[in-house]
Amino acid sequence: MPDSAYLLIRDPQGGESATRLVVGERLTLGRAPTNHVVIHDERASRLHAEIISTPAGWSLRDLASRNGTLFGEAALGADHLLSPGDVFSIGRLEITFCHGDPPSAVGGTAELEGTSPAVASAEFERWQATITHRRTRSRLLEAIDGPGEIVPRVGRAAAELCRLAFALGKAGDARAIARLALDAALHGVEATRGVVFLPAGIAAGQPGTTAAALDAFATTPPDWAHASDRLEGVITAVMRTDEALLACDPHLADGSTSLSAPIRSGGRAIGAMHAERPAGGREATPDDLEFMMAVCDALGVAVENLSAREILSSRLASTADENERLKRRLGEESQMVGASPVLEAIKGQIARVAGTRATILVRGESGVGKELVARAIHDASDRRNGPFVCMNCAALSETLLESELFGHEKGAFTGATERKAGKFETAHKGTLMLDEIGEMSPAIQAKFLRVLEGHPFERVGGSSRVQVDVRVVAATNRDLEQAVAAGEFRRDLYFRLKVVEILVPPLRKRPEDIEPLARHYLQRFAIEAGRRVRDFTPAALDALRGSHWPGNIRELRNVIERAVVLSADELIDIDDLALSQLSSAGETGRKTAERPAPFVPLTLDELEQRHVQATLAAVGGNKTKAATMLGIERSTLDRKLARWAKA
């Protein structure tokens, strides 16, 4: 008498289940719905195999099936007495013979959302039993080198798919591409009705993957998808197996033939297409199924492209909005704030030189806003829509500076793993601002001079010549005249840079700008930090005006930012200001412990004369620049000089 036993059945479509073997009863396996184990696979016969109990144990017998019952690679011939752990296969099913009782965790069937064989319609069960062909991918367009009768058919299919691809590329929404694909498939396989199911959220660029989330995007006739009882099960079966299915049975509903194929995106099935041909026409072939698969593959690519376009469009809109906000913020940061006569004169110079191609040299102490002047020149010029590139020449060694300015080729030096464009190439059709130009080494000065004169240059380690159109604005806080005299700066480069010179005086020499700048930074940092600081106390304003500001505008900005962050009141008081006690750049080198010289009384006229003459000496005798620095008219300066000359 055989012991208690069961079959553990692994079905790629239905999951894992267990069937108990009952002593004295015959268990049959096959495609017919009357079997104890129904196998939904066209490779299984209607009555495929049986397992019977014998005095020696459980015996497996093949019932003259068409494709046989396989043990490994060999087909079962005579009856086989089963032993625990024996594995045999019928079609896609893998069946293991086990002793004992089935485990409680096995016995159900794993299903996708949307349907279950236990509640599937009888029409769907009949359709499933009539599947004759399965395909995982279309080979239609790979069979060009086939027999003569195949090549014309492949050519027609290729032409249809080519036209479809162009049409899908022009379509603008998911329902339009679904309609185009369905029409092409119905025409190609000579079907009269069909439907395309796709994820409902596909238009937003986030396609789903479950049958429960699918929606009929295209249907022919319009309401046919809701009239078929078996469609839900068919679509679920196609998506679960990721196979195209051809079912032919004269007893199926009205005798029609059905073709179903998955729509894949990202290597997985996200939807399905189902079409049916009426009875009475030519018999459907596997080539029809492959053509339908090719259409679905093209539709899947179109779905991916549509989703990518939607995501890209959303990101571009977000990026454009962010760029606009950054431009507004950059405009605020690069705004030249102040109302002193000196600043107004600088703005006038910027307005006059911005429209020219002249090289500009901006001079002034560190922190006075030389980069703001360069950006103002760029924004006022016809290059405003081009790039504005800023680089500090003192921040890099000679080798790295040359690479940063002119670029390098792959392998030019250790670490040069790819070609890199330099600042000159990056600033093409725009403005290149070179800060601390006085720190440039003599070797790079020579190459830089040639580029300034309009000559092409070569990247480091390269031989191809690069021609650029760049407007150069140079800046320095060094005494270039002294550097030229000492042989540290090329004389010819000095004169080439000094086409137009803009002198930016330190903040201590334009005290009228201190309060407007302080209020500007107060408002800006209060918004950024989310603080309710609104103004300064009179004592704080007096302290700001009286400070020497050795760090110029950069120091003022940092002082105000710190005060806004640390202030506990709505008004910033003198105690909130961390004013520096350092000497200014013009005072560097002096001994702080040195006692001041004795006071020598002077008349106001003598003091004015000394100051004017010192200013003239500082600007090289240029009376126009001196008058601008002094805040007087040129004619007034001429009268004063003439009067002092007669005295």
Side-chain angles (χ1 to χ4, degrees), residues 33-52:
T34 55
N35 289 287
H36 298 89
V37 177
V38 180
I39 302 173
H40 302 297
D41 191 325
E42 74 277 2
R43 286 165 289 191
S45 300
R46 295 185 63 82
L47 190 61
H48 195 101
E50 65 178 0
I51 297 178
I52 57 177

Side-chain angles (χ1 to χ4, degrees), residues 187-201:
H187 176 74
V189 303
E190 301 177 15
T192 57
R193 54 180 182 253
V195 60
V196 172
F197 282 96
L198 287 171

Side-chain angles (χ1 to χ4, degrees), residues 583-590:
S583 60
S584 63
E587 297 170 335
T588 56
R590 298 180 183 177

Side-chain angles (χ1 to χ4, degrees), residues 43-89:
R43 286 165 289 191
S45 300
R46 295 185 63 82
L47 190 61
H48 195 101
E50 65 178 0
I51 297 178
I52 57 177
S53 61
T54 67
W58 296 98
S59 180
L60 172 64
R61 177 182 299 165
D62 184 80
L63 300 177
S65 63
R66 180 180 57 187
N67 294 311
T69 304
L70 302 180
F71 266 91
E73 298 295 331
L76 179 66
D79 293 359
H80 178 79
L81 189 64
L82 293 171
S83 300
D86 280 351
V87 179
F88 60 94
S89 58

